[in-house]
Amino acid sequence: MRLLKKVVAVGLASAMVFSMAGCGSSSKATTAASEAATTAAETKKEETKSAETTAAAVKEAVGGDLADKKVGISIYKFDDNFMTLYRTELQRYLTEDLGFKKDNVVIQDGKGDQAEQTNQIQNFITQKYDVLILNLVQASSAPEITNMCKEAGIPVVYINREPDPEEEQRWKDEKINATYVGCDARQSGTYQGEEILETSNKGDINGDGVVNYIMIQGDPENVDAQYRTEFSVKALTDKGVKVKELLKQRGDWDQAKAQQIAQDALTQYGDQIEVIFCNNDAMALGALQAIEAAGRTVNKDIYLVGVDALTEAVQNVIDDKQTGTVFNDHFSQAQTASDMAVKFLKGDSVENVNMVDYIKVTKANAQDTLDKLKK
């Protein structure tokens, strides 16, 4: 990871050089631009060389004994928008960048059924897979699954749905080969609240001194849903903003369910609703359908925020159809999860928790985010 950070640092240095070149004038500007171009070209060569060195080092690390190792992956359900992006990057990175054979990277659909997923994991164990990467249907199943993997001597990387802190501490205390890779959902909730605070009226559209909101949750048993729900509102109250919750209802991360929830809420509460918080972008897309059907206009008479930075949601931020979102960086998460799997296979020590930062997405940086997503 240190090598990857070095590549990023070089890229940032390159960007700074171009920025400095644009600040000069007349002949000085020409000279500066020429020097900057030369420096940028040299930096680009260094960046390319560094990236190639990193890829070669990783492939060498995975080569030989590890190239034929079998990676079993179970995703809680394939039709989840965000996890579709995540698993696609997992497969790409494991095979293209790390050099695992495609036939040895098996990804299965948990179909939103923990019993189904547990059977898949048992089959991975029976078939002697070397490492597992698991996006659990129910994070509360982690102790049982971890014990199964421990008894079989198979390391496990949990992703996206975080087990509780006590379970994570157990891995550390008992030296179990298990880790979690994800983002701190408290950060994503806080960013949602900040996006409301950054509007011209801090979410108080009708000017009565209180922000009236509805909250569309994912799965209330999921720690991400819990933290996003709590900290989005906390960001407002911590700044002295008074709030009133009109409705909180679970939408199970589902667009259609969220659309129905928002539709019913808009019918019941009408113009009282000033903000709709959604624990993810799929539900924000559903809420937008209900908002538009009710004749309301985002960023004019109602605010809407989500999490994940789905391509459609980011485009909606650009088009003033969504107030903001939070980039749940599936690229970095998938790559970190894969790197942790490799560390286990090499016998290296692995921290019990590995966090990746969220990125707040507003109109100011939405286009840059979209460009990254479309690469």
Side-chain angles (χ1 to χ4, degrees):
M1 293 301 292
R2 285 195 295 268
L3 284 170
L4 291 174
K5 287 180 180 178
K6 193 175 294 183
V7 174
V8 173
V10 173
L12 289 172
S14 178
M16 291 175 64
V17 169
F18 280 111
S19 176
M20 292 171 62
C23 294
S25 60
S26 65
S27 61
K28 289 183 179 180
T30 302
T31 301
S34 177
E35 292 174 353
T38 301
T39 303
E42 292 173 351
T43 302
K44 184 64 177 177
K45 288 180 181 178
E46 291 177 8
E47 180 182 348
T48 301
K49 183 177 180 181
S50 180
E52 289 173 350
T53 301
T54 301
V58 173
K59 283 192 175 184
E60 182 180 353
V62 183
D65 293 340
L66 296 183
D68 292 325
K69 295 294 185 182
K70 294 163 69 176
V71 184
I73 303 171
S74 181
I75 303 299
Y76 94 100
K77 64 175 182 177
F78 275 10
D79 60 0
D80 179 283
N81 306 60
F82 175 71
M83 290 313 300
T84 296
L85 297 173
Y86 197 128
R87 64 185 166 91
T88 299
E89 178 60 16
L90 264 178
Q91 186 170 42
R92 187 206 65 77
Y93 186 71
L94 283 165
T95 57
E96 294 182 14
D97 288 12
L98 298 186
F100 285 92
K101 293 179 181 177
K102 288 185 178 180
D103 289 345
N104 288 337
V105 177
V106 176
I107 306 179
Q108 296 189 339
D109 183 1
K111 300 177 182 177
D113 183 334
Q114 187 57 61
E116 170 82 16
Q117 186 176 57
T118 300
N119 285 335
Q120 292 173 359
I121 294 166
Q122 288 173 332
N123 288 334
F124 283 142
I125 292 172
T126 300
Q127 295 167 24
K128 301 185 184 304
Y129 274 70
D130 298 288
V131 64
L132 303 185
I133 299 176
L134 305 177
N135 169 219
L136 293 179
V137 174
Q138 296 174 350
S140 58
S141 297
E144 174 194 356
I145 302 300
T146 301
N147 289 339
M148 290 166 50
C149 294
K150 178 186 177 184
E151 290 173 10
I154 300 174
V156 56
V157 180
Y158 291 104
I159 60 172
N160 185 251
R161 296 185 164 195
E162 186 174 8
D164 62 45
E166 291 77 13
E167 173 64 6
E168 293 173 335
Q169 187 61 41
R170 181 173 78 96
W171 306 338
K172 186 174 183 178
D173 294 343
E174 299 181 15
K175 294 181 171 55
I176 297 172
N177 284 336
T179 188
Y180 172 71
V181 174
C183 298
D184 186 344
R186 289 168 288 198
Q187 184 185 49
S188 61
T190 298
Y191 282 168
Q192 283 188 304
E194 288 178 355
E195 287 169 349
I196 300 303
L197 289 171
E198 290 163 7
T199 63
S200 60
N201 46 30
K202 297 183 178 180
D204 183 16
I205 292 173
N206 61 20
D208 67 353
V210 179
V211 174
N212 297 309
Y213 72 91
I214 69 168
M215 179 71 66
I216 306 181
Q217 283 189 298
D219 175 359
E221 293 184 5
N222 181 283
V223 68
D224 283 7
Q226 294 166 11
Y227 282 151
R228 289 173 188 174
T229 296
E230 176 185 356
F231 282 82
S232 57
V233 178
K234 187 175 184 295
L236 298 178
T237 57
D238 281 353
K239 293 297 183 181
V241 175
K242 293 182 180 180
V243 301
K244 181 179 179 181
E245 182 182 274
L246 300 175
L247 175 71
K248 179 170 67 178
Q249 191 169 336
R250 68 182 291 169
D252 290 318
W253 315 107
D254 184 79
Q255 181 171 339
K257 288 183 180 179
Q259 181 179 357
Q260 188 62 54
I261 291 168
Q263 178 181 307
D264 293 345
L266 288 163
T267 299
Q268 181 176 356
Y269 297 105
D271 292 344
Q272 292 181 60
I273 301 173
E274 295 169 294
V275 177
I276 297 182
F277 288 104
C278 296
N279 283 172
N280 76 344
D281 276 340
M283 295 191 297
L285 294 174
L288 175 62
Q289 290 175 293
I291 288 169
E292 292 179 335
R296 303 286 292 275
T297 305
V298 173
N299 291 340
K300 182 179 179 182
D301 56 29
I302 194 167
Y303 295 118
L304 173 66
V305 290
V307 176
D308 283 341
L310 297 180
T311 301
E312 187 175 351
V314 177
Q315 185 63 56
N316 284 341
V317 173
I318 295 170
D319 295 339
D320 263 341
K321 293 183 177 181
Q322 188 166 320
T323 307
T325 183
V326 183
F327 183 24
N328 195 358
D329 189 351
H330 61 277
F331 296 113
S332 295
Q333 289 180 71
Q335 292 170 19
T336 301
S338 301
D339 291 340
M340 293 307 105
V342 168
K343 278 193 165 190
F344 276 135
L345 292 173
K346 291 171 60 184
D348 294 344
S349 62
V350 176
E351 293 293 328
N352 60 326
V353 177
N354 296 272
M355 288 296 188
V356 176
D357 279 335
Y358 284 98
I359 300 170
K360 182 163 58 176
V361 180
T362 63
K363 200 157 188 178
N365 67 337
Q367 188 60 57
D368 288 341
T369 304
L370 189 62
D371 292 343
K372 179 177 181 179
L373 292 169
K374 287 184 174 182
K375 281 184 179 179

